[in-house]
Amino acid sequence: MFITFEGGEGAGKTTQINLLKNYLKAKGQDVVLTREPGGTPEAERIRDLLVRRDGGNWTPTAEALLFFTARHMHVESLIKPALNDGKTVICDRFTDSTIAYQGYGHGFDLSILDQIQRLSIGDFAPSKTFILDIDVKDGLMRAGKRMEGDDDGSTEDRFERMNLSFHENLRRGFLELAKKHPDRCVLINAAQPVDDVHAAIVESLENDGSPQG
Ligand code: TMP
């Protein structure tokens, strides 16, 4: 099973990914945790170019191509082999993030993103996607707290530093994606206490008839 976690800044993805990993492991599953952009040595190098404050001033097209270059490497070298070995892969962000951030956030043409997606990963998609939804200001405050005192050019905050309307737009993007793909996407209210968010995620997986332990 290929599970992805999505959401704006400060939605609590990392916490929930770790809780789900522990839950699935306790059920006997072999779990691989990974993230985007990144997950392989090559893709992690591309990550630095994309998310660090000093990573570069990319044109929107170059930025979208770089995200999908990293994703292509990640899918081919890590995700597909792990799935073929019968492992469960949990990934922190995937294509939905590109649609939300580059498409809805930056206004990059969604049909061009769709073409780049087909070229780089075909119709490969997660089996389940949890979209953690939180009020933009609350999320940025949480994310900001995490970054406090961390203020050189290597800080991974190129997108967190965008203005409020950028973040409102990408939140709208995630909500639209949840509506467009109701079988794959589960929208979770991330303002709830951590344990309640985890319980909602587990309940959704159990209702799907998976995971099997
Ligand atoms: P993270 O902070 O969740 O690790 O994600 C890294 C940053 O990269 C985050 O600000 C969202 C951004 N991003 C995109 O803009 N497009 C993408 O396709 C992905 C995967 C991440």
Side-chain angles (χ1 to χ4, degrees), residues 9 13 36-37 47 51 67 71 92-94 97-98 101-102 146 156 159-160:
E9 310 294 335
K13 285 183 288 102
E36 287 221 337
R47 180 187 177 93
V51 306
F67 273 113
R71 185 160 300 132
D92 187 343
R93 300 193 182 282
F94 199 64
S97 274
T98 315
Y101 278 77
Q102 281 62 52
R146 222 178 43 220
E156 288 194 345
F159 293 96
E160 281 167 51

Side-chain angles (χ1 to χ4, degrees), residues 2 33-51 66-79 89-94 98 156:
F2 178 35
L33 280 196
T34 188
R35 67 170 181 181
E36 287 221 337
T40 73
E42 298 80 5
E44 287 290 332
R45 279 156 73 183
I46 296 176
R47 180 187 177 93
D48 285 344
L49 303 176
L50 285 166
V51 306
L66 281 172
F67 273 113
F68 275 108
T69 302
R71 185 160 300 132
H72 170 85
M73 291 302 295
H74 192 201
V75 168
E76 295 302 323
S77 330
L78 187 141
I79 300 174
V89 177
I90 305 180
C91 189
D92 187 343
R93 300 193 182 282
F94 199 64
T98 315
E156 288 194 345

Side-chain angles (χ1 to χ4, degrees), residues 58-213:
W58 305 104
T59 63
T61 302
E63 186 176 282
L65 288 167
L66 281 172
F67 273 113
F68 275 108
T69 302
R71 185 160 300 132
H72 170 85
M73 291 302 295
H74 192 201
V75 168
E76 295 302 323
S77 330
L78 187 141
I79 300 174
K80 280 185 180 170
L83 293 175
N84 287 338
D85 282 350
K87 295 175 181 163
T88 296
V89 177
I90 305 180
C91 189
D92 187 343
R93 300 193 182 282
F94 199 64
T95 302
D96 296 316
S97 274
T98 315
I99 296 169
Y101 278 77
Q102 281 62 52
Y104 284 83
H106 284 314
F108 192 78
D109 191 316
L110 291 176
S111 67
I112 296 179
L113 278 185
D114 191 56
Q115 290 174 45
I116 303 174
Q117 178 183 349
R118 284 184 190 288
L119 184 74
S120 48
I121 58 165
D123 58 4
F124 183 79
S127 13
K128 193 77 7 283
T129 297
F130 293 104
I131 298 178
L132 305 190
D133 181 56
I134 190 163
D135 174 80
V136 166
K137 282 186 184 150
D138 292 348
L140 285 173
M141 215 166 71
R142 282 197 201 174
K145 272 186 190 146
R146 222 178 43 220
M147 296 287 168
E148 243 166 3
D150 195 3
D151 209 23
D152 63 27
S154 68
T155 303
E156 288 194 345
D157 65 353
R158 236 187 95 219
F159 293 96
E160 281 167 51
R161 286 161 66 85
M162 298 288 169
N163 63 25
L164 203 61
S165 71
F166 170 84
H167 291 280
E168 296 284 6
N169 285 338
L170 74 88
R171 183 186 189 198
R172 189 168 54 81
F174 280 126
L175 296 177
E176 300 267 334
L177 282 162
K179 258 193 244 158
K180 198 172 161 198
H181 306 284
D183 291 341
R184 172 172 68 83
C185 296
V186 184
L187 193 64
I188 305 273
N189 172 9
Q192 303 174 89
V194 169
D195 290 346
D196 293 356
V197 174
H198 176 60
I201 289 167
V202 166
E203 191 191 335
S204 157
L205 282 176
E206 299 286 2
N207 285 344
D208 276 358
S210 50
Q212 287 119 24

